[in-house]
Amino acid sequence: MKKINETQRKIIHMLKDFGIDHISMAGILGTLEQDNLNENDFLDFIKNKETLSIKDCTEQIWHMRGY
């Protein structure tokens, strides 16, 4: 099993603070890793949010993919 790095820990902590469930967190982190997306860019995105939903996360991932 792969260890979680510090950026992933920060993402998890922030997603938890926004009330994002564990299954969604796993999907977000898995997608970032699988698609080789920059976790720090995603972290910067959520740091600037006052509220955050799964939809926001999904749209950001699509944006990061270039769509």
Side-chain angles (χ1 to χ4, degrees):
M1 186 170 205
K2 184 180 178 274
K3 287 190 174 188
I4 296 173
N5 67 40
E6 188 59 32
T7 302
Q8 292 168 336
R9 285 185 199 284
K10 289 177 184 177
I11 291 171
I12 290 167
H13 179 72
M14 292 189 76
L15 292 176
K16 183 178 179 183
D17 288 347
F18 282 115
I20 305 296
D21 64 273
H22 293 309
I23 298 297
S24 297
M25 284 183 211
I28 291 165
L29 291 172
T31 301
L32 291 170
E33 183 177 341
Q34 180 180 347
D35 292 352
N36 293 318
L37 300 175
N38 189 315
E39 294 170 345
N40 287 309
D41 288 347
F42 187 81
L43 180 59
D44 289 341
F45 167 76
I46 61 177
K47 279 183 182 178
N48 295 318
K49 293 290 187 180
E50 291 183 25
T51 62
L52 187 73
S53 68
I54 297 300
K55 182 181 178 191
D56 297 328
C57 294
T58 302
E59 288 175 354
Q60 179 61 17
I61 288 171
W62 279 100
H63 174 74
M64 292 172 71
R65 287 175 169 164
Y67 296 108

